[in-house]
Amino acid sequence: MTGWYPRRFREQTSGIMHKFLDGLASLRSPANVLMVFVTSVVIWLLETGKYWFVMHGFNFQVSFFALMLMNGIVNLVGIIPAAPGYIGTFDASGIAVLVAYGVDKAIAAGYTIVLHVALWLPITLVGAYYMAREGIKWSDALRREEEVESSA
């Protein structure tokens, strides 16, 4: 790398770039690419299925395609920095998609909040269970994270 950015960032940036490229190396195999693609499709369809099941608890109907679009948009918006659990970004984008499909804003808001809880709560409880089972405390996890960051 030549030097178009400050020297103090070069080593860290170079390390991140090499890790990214090492991760891409696994995609050299067509079988691995196919597995990533198939797994991704299955996961997105299962998650959209949950959107569909939750929708039946509310007084509106949209197509499965509309729910797939909502799923894609709320997940893409999830890359925007937000509160923990994507509170706010998930909800605002989900409501916007449903309103664009003609769903009343109040119903869209209620559905999106219930859906958000239905997506977030089970996996969070499973994670909390395994943390407790393994005797891991939040303070331990934060301490290890700080140690990793300081050694990098």
Side-chain angles (χ1 to χ4, degrees), residues 39-121:
T39 304
S40 295
V41 168
V42 168
I43 289 169
W44 282 81
L45 287 173
L46 288 171
E47 184 174 348
T48 304
K50 190 163 194 172
Y51 283 47
W52 186 78
F53 281 113
V54 172
M55 177 185 68
H56 290 317
F58 290 83
N59 190 23
F60 76 94
Q61 291 289 318
V62 294
S63 67
F64 194 78
F65 173 80
L67 295 175
M68 286 180 67
L69 179 63
M70 179 183 172
N71 186 1
I73 289 173
V74 299
N75 280 292
L76 285 174
V77 169
I79 65 175
I80 297 171
Y86 310 111
I87 295 171
T89 54
F90 180 97
D91 308 303
S93 57
I95 293 166
V97 170
L98 292 174
V99 167
Y101 273 91
V103 177
D104 179 72
K105 191 171 185 174
I107 293 173
Y111 166 78
T112 303
I113 291 168
V114 169
L115 175 65
H116 197 169
V117 170
L119 291 167
W120 177 85
L121 189 61

